[in-house]
Amino acid sequence: MNSGGRSAARISYMKKHDPGERYEEWEALGTAWGPDYRERFRGIWQPLRDAVQEGLIPGGVAGIRYKEGCLYYAVGLAEAGEKERHTGIHTLYDCASLTKVTVTLPLILMLWEQGKLDLDDRASIYIPELNSPESSRITVRQLLSHTAGLPPTWNFHCSSWNLEQILHFLGNKVEFSGPETVYSDLGFILLGVIAERLLGTSINEAARMYLFSPLEMKESCFCPSPDLRFRIASTEWNEKLGGFWTGIVHDENARALGGISGHAGLFATCPDLLKYAQLWLEPEQTQFEGKPILSRFVINEAQKRQGNGLDPANRGLGWVLKGNRYDVSGSRLSDLSFGHTGFTGTSLYMDPQRGMAAVLMTNRVHFGRQQDLTGLRTTFHDAAAEAVDHLTKE
C-alpha cells in the first residue's frame, strides 16, 4: 500500500497551552505543502477555530489529503470540565455512523467482488430470520442504499434484546414503509450480520484483517482498551455514569450489542480516516494479498445514484452524493463528491475530481445533542477545496 507520503517529509508543530489561549497542533505529511504551511493554509482551519471559540464544540481535529500529502490540525479540548484534556491529531474519536461506510460498506463490496454475494440477492438468503412477506423481499442493494423501507432506528437497547431477538423482530414484527429513501441504522445492522456470517468472523476482526491492517490504520478499532482512555475524545455526559462517555460507544443500540455493530462502534483518528480515503481515491494503490482491496469498477459502482427512480434522493451505495438533503459538502466540492457524517460530530468527504479527501473529527454531543455542525462542515469543505485549488495553480 502507498501510505501517501511514508517516505516524504513530515513536519510537525505544537503550540503549548497558555492560560487564555487555545491549544493547537499542526502536522504536514508530504512535500507539497512547503515549510511555511502553517501560515499559508491557516485559513483552512478557521471554521474549526470559530466553532471552538463560539462554544459549539470543545475541540476537534481536521485533515485534508491531496495527492500523496496530508495536512492535519487539532484545536481545543477532547474533554471539558474538571478532567479537561487537550485534543490532538492522534486523538481517537467515536465515529458513529462513519462505521457504515468505513467498515460495513467495504466489507460487503469486497464480498460482492469475490462472488460470495450479489447486491441484488435477497438479504434473507444470508439472514433466514427475515421471513415475513416484507422482510424476505429486501435486497442487499436496498440495505446499502437505504431504500429497503426499514424505519430509521428502534430502541432495542431499552428492551435488553440480544442480536437473535433483534433479528427476529426485524424479520417478523417491524413495519416497512414505501419505496422512498429512509436513512436507517437497522439496514446496516443487518449488513453487519451478513458480513459476519459470510466471512466467518466478527465484523471488528474482519475490519482489522481486511481493512485496518492493509491500509495501515493502526489506531482504528472497536471497543478500545481502557488503557487508551486518555487518548479518546469524550462524547456525551451521562448522569448515571457521573461523567462523559469515553471509549464506550455513544450509540445506544451499538452499546447494547457490545460496542460492535454494522452501523456504529468504530473509533478512529483523523490520520487513519485519511488513509482509508485512499481506498476510494486510488484503489489501485491499496493492496491486500497482492490485489486491490476493491477494484476501480466496484468503487465507481458505489458512487452511482441508487433507487427506483421514484425518489429524488441522491444516494450511492452507503454514501451521500452531491445534492442529497443530508449533503454537507459545501459549495466548492465538485458534483462528483460524496461523503458521510457521524452523529457524534465526525465526517469524511471525498472529491475524486480534485483527488482530495477531507476529514472532520469533533465530539459534537459533548455540550448536548442540539449542537448543529452543518455550517462548520460546509465552510470547512469550502476552505479545503479552495486550498487544493490554490496548490494546483502553483
Side-chain angles (χ1 to χ4, degrees), residues 55 139 161 392:
T139 67
W161 288 354
T392 61

Side-chain angles (χ1 to χ4, degrees), residues 315-386:
R315 274 215 171 259
L317 297 176
W319 296 107
V320 171
L321 305 182
K322 190 79 169 181
N324 181 276
R325 61 175 174 164
Y326 297 113
D327 173 34
V328 289
S329 62
S331 62
R332 298 187 68 109
L333 293 185
S334 76
D335 290 343
L336 300 179
S337 63
F338 60 96
H340 210 283
T341 61
F343 184 81
T344 48
T346 58
S347 63
L348 167 62
Y349 262 78
M350 286 166 279
D351 186 346
Q353 183 170 303
R354 286 184 171 86
M356 66 165 285
V359 168
L360 186 62
M361 308 290 270
T362 79
N363 41 352
R364 174 188 73 90
V365 295
H366 203 67
F367 296 146
R369 298 189 180 194
Q370 74 283 352
Q371 307 295 77
D372 185 356
L373 298 192
T374 301
L376 167 59
R377 286 165 168 159
T378 56
T379 53
F380 167 60
H381 293 145
D382 285 349
E386 183 178 2

